[in-house]
Amino acid sequence: AAGWYDAFCDQECPDGFYGHYCGESCGNCVTGTVCEKTDGRCSGCEEPWVGDTCKIIPATVSDDPESFTVVVNNEATFSCTGRGVPAPTVTWYHGAEVITPGAGISIADTDGGLVGEQHVTHSTLTITSARRQDNGQYVCILSNVAGNDTSQAATLVVQERPDDVTVNVTAVNSTALHVTWAIGVTGNLDIIDSQVRYKRSGAASWSDWASTGVSDVNGEVYIYSLRSGVQYHVQVRAYSLGWSTPGTGAGTTDDAPPGSPQNLQAAPTSHSSVHLTWEPPIEPSGEILNYTVRYGPSESCREAESPHQVTTSGGSTTTVIGDLVPYTDYTFRVRGATSAGGGDFSDCRVTRTLEYYPAAPVVQTFADQHDCNCRTPNLPRPVQLRVAWRRPDHIHGQLQAYRVSLYNRTGGEPFYQENMTSGLQQENLTAVITSPHLQPARNYSVTVSAMNTLYRGNESHPFMTRTSDGCPDAPTVTRLANSECGVNWTAPTVTRGRLTGYNVIYVDTPLHNPDGSEPGISRDPLGLDEQQWSKSLAELPANSLVRVTVRAVTCAEGDKGEEVTCQVSRVGKK
């Protein structure tokens, strides 16, 4: 049994030994005591031994790792030494995380021999290239079956240039921005300076870096003299071990009224419309919300009045202005508007709408030039009509002529047209129309239309007149039966007017004319209801040959009818 030895197992183990055949040495029992001979247990242990048999010493840290500072990407090394029985093992921690060798981290444990009866263990943690995430506290924990011990924390400070700069940009007004920033990583060094630069959105180049004088993790600066309504990109960088990667923010200045639009062009597209195009302002001062076109009829920008205006939607730089007066000079200006209001107007442009159909003239009078178109006797006068009209209110172009058109009363196509090209600048005009087609005592209508370079306008309202009477044809004359000298007649087929009566004309020619006396001519006017005439020979001149005829009368005498002769043989005076 344990605690005995000898061939007959009747000898108790000597002090200092225990177990079967007394093969185990006692541990470090408290002074003055010996261990149990059966299992080696002690009633107490000498320090620092522990355990039932007083044969183990808890692991303890004898040399703690030291804190130090290293520049980023350089090597960082921590050492830790401990002792115990049995020899302790070492575990390294970075904060709360166990460090596992690999990815640039190595751990080397070495046997340090014995110090007294305790085994010594050395451990070295090496970080080949220290990075930002390596910052923090490191501890080593030494462990054996008797217990473990944690070293004091060693702090690794990795120095690097600043980083993680957050930039915010807000508008102050239309020409200034307020820039604030926060530096998330200082690099474990004091910030020496901060710089700012900016550029317009879409621009290729930045402004030069400018010092802000801020040496803190938070800063602000104002940027002045900027363009209105423009987005700017702003960068801030900080300096300690080196310049940080710039942080970037963006902000837009407040809108302002824009500058004047550029290169306004106005081109007529019809008699009543003009097409406008322009370019945006060089300084839009924000988003152009719309454009306003101001326009009015005027021959000169200097004297221009612009009673009309049209506002376009959106930022379109073209529009068509309609409902204009044909062949009229118009002035045009345009301006843009942002959220801050309307800006300056562009330069003025003058253009003229295209020609169009002239308005109809107003005929004032239309009448025959003569009271009678027959000269006595039976001498026709050429028929002439006189028309007077007033210039149209709107020519809608450059007046070239007036066209005078004559129509029969029955209408249809004109039988006569004439273009009048003289006196075009007069307000009131007249024309005398002579045409072989004009006949006396006929109804005619006239129209007048104006003609410009491209169009002939509407005709005036027809104006009607009747030509004066002309010379009637000859009546049909026959000898009156049962009369010494008489005729009867029937009305002419063509009267050329209204018959007012008849003239019976008789010419007496002396049969013997020793004294050379002239023939005598007599006229007897008769009414329309009288169609015969007679005289006795006693009433006619003696010794004469009398020729009798009849002429129809309108406004004058017409052609004579066939003559009837009467011979007076009586001698003597009448």
Side-chain angles (χ1 to χ4, degrees), residues 248-394:
T248 303
T252 302
T253 52
D254 292 339
D255 287 355
S260 59
Q262 303 296 301
N263 195 28
L264 174 62
Q265 301 294 320
T269 54
S270 74
H271 64 277
S272 62
S273 61
V274 171
H275 183 216
L276 301 179
T277 60
W278 61 90
E279 296 175 2
I282 296 176
E283 293 291 343
S285 301
E287 180 185 0
I288 301 294
L289 302 178
N290 55 62
Y291 287 95
T292 296
V293 178
R294 186 169 291 176
Y295 64 97
S298 178
E299 296 181 356
S300 169
C301 286
R302 184 179 303 172
E303 302 171 358
E305 293 184 3
S306 303
H308 308 290
Q309 69 179 33
V310 172
T311 299
T312 67
S313 59
S316 175
T317 56
T318 180
T319 190
V320 175
I321 304 298
D323 296 327
L324 304 179
V325 178
Y327 205 68
T328 301
D329 287 329
Y330 281 86
T331 59
F332 297 91
R333 292 180 174 88
V334 63
R335 72 174 179 181
T338 65
S339 61
D344 298 329
F345 275 100
S346 67
D347 292 338
C348 172
R349 288 291 179 270
V350 181
T351 193
R352 176 178 291 175
T353 50
L354 300 180
E355 291 186 88
Y356 196 57
Y357 295 95
V362 177
V363 176
Q364 298 169 313
T365 60
F366 180 45
D368 199 321
Q369 277 281 85
H370 310 290
D371 294 335
C372 184
N373 287 314
C374 182
R375 298 189 182 100
T376 301
N378 193 39
L379 181 59
R381 175 183 282 123
V383 179
Q384 293 180 316
L385 292 174
R386 182 180 183 274
V387 60
W389 67 90
R390 189 178 72 242
R391 179 187 177 94
D393 294 334
H394 301 290

Side-chain angles (χ1 to χ4, degrees), residues 1 23 37 111 144 160 164 172 174 180 194 223 247-248 315 342 351-352 367 369 402 425 450 452 517 535 553:
K37 298 186 187 308
D111 184 0
N144 61 11
E160 58 176 322
D164 192 20
V172 177
S174 62
T180 60
S194 300
I223 304 175
T248 303
T351 193
R352 176 178 291 175
Q369 277 281 85
Y402 289 100
Q425 302 308 315
N452 58 31
S517 58
K535 284 186 181 293
V553 179

Side-chain angles (χ1 to χ4, degrees), residues 28-72:
N28 299 284
C29 297
V30 66
T31 303
T33 64
V34 293
C35 68
E36 292 289 337
K37 298 186 187 308
T38 56
D39 55 12
R41 287 182 298 171
C42 296
S43 60
C45 297
E46 292 286 343
E47 290 186 358
W49 300 92
V50 295
D52 290 341
T53 61
C54 299
K55 288 187 174 183
I56 58 176
I57 300 175
T60 58
V61 176
S62 58
D63 292 310
D64 296 303
E66 294 182 355
S67 299
F68 65 94
T69 300
V70 66
V71 175
V72 67

